[in-house]
Amino acid sequence: MRLDGFGLFVEDMPTMVRFYRDVLGFEIKEDENTSNVYLVKDGTLFLLYGRNDFEKMTGRKYQYTRGVNGHFEIALSVDTFADVDKEYARIIAQGGSPVLEPTTEPWGQRTCYIADPEGNLVEIGSFNRPFEGRDNLGGTQ
């Protein structure tokens, strides 16, 4: 098996599409008013799927966390520490919810967190050089 993409179950599709498309720069593949919206970021498929539609398809009800949740994060990288600060300020100005202001961590990464309109965590980080895969995470290729 290979990883094909990542999906979020959403309540307010138009708001979430606008945030990921207009604020975070994901390329939209569908109309924002459909139940399945495919977005692409750097070649990775990102699916927004309506919660009600998923429940109808599976014949089950699910419980969803309200507010900022800590179930997962979506990690985005930028080239420099200054870019982390710039993107954080830009995203907050466009409606992202602040979670952690830009901070340089002991392991050498500058990182920050915001929450999307439904409370999912988005990290923006940099090791102060262009991201080149696993090498930047301390591993080997």
Side-chain angles (χ1 to χ4, degrees):
M1 285 187 277
R2 64 184 167 87
L3 180 63
D4 189 41
F6 183 81
L8 285 179
F9 297 109
V10 304
E11 189 170 11
D12 183 346
M13 187 67 72
T15 297
M16 292 292 279
V17 166
R18 287 189 295 272
F19 182 79
Y20 281 92
R21 180 190 60 209
D22 302 341
V23 178
L24 297 183
F26 285 56
E27 177 187 346
I28 189 168
K29 293 293 188 182
E30 307 291 336
D31 181 84
E32 69 183 49
N33 293 311
T34 62
S35 61
N36 287 317
V37 175
Y38 293 88
L39 301 115
V40 175
K41 182 73 168 172
D42 303 319
T44 299
L45 174 65
F46 189 76
L47 170 72
L48 300 178
Y49 198 84
R51 291 177 181 175
N52 292 336
D53 295 321
F54 183 70
E55 289 181 350
K56 184 177 177 184
M57 180 179 78
T58 62
R60 298 178 66 174
K61 289 283 185 192
Y62 300 90
Q63 293 189 5
Y64 301 98
T65 303
R66 299 286 180 203
V68 176
N69 72 70
H71 292 279
F72 64 89
E73 72 172 54
I74 298 165
L76 302 173
S77 65
V78 294
D79 290 342
T80 68
F81 287 179
D83 290 340
V84 172
D85 296 21
K86 181 179 82 174
E87 289 300 315
Y88 178 84
R90 182 186 67 79
I91 292 167
I92 297 305
Q94 292 185 42
S97 298
V99 174
L100 175 70
E101 291 183 5
T103 304
T104 302
E105 300 294 351
W107 54 86
Q109 179 187 31
R110 186 149 180 88
T111 190
C112 65
Y113 283 88
I114 57 101
D116 74 16
E118 293 192 8
N120 302 296
L121 292 173
V122 178
E123 176 189 22
I124 302 160
S126 176
F127 284 93
N128 215 26
R129 60 186 179 268
F131 184 74
E132 298 173 3
R134 194 161 179 227
D135 273 348
N136 278 2
L137 301 176
T140 58
Q141 288 187 326

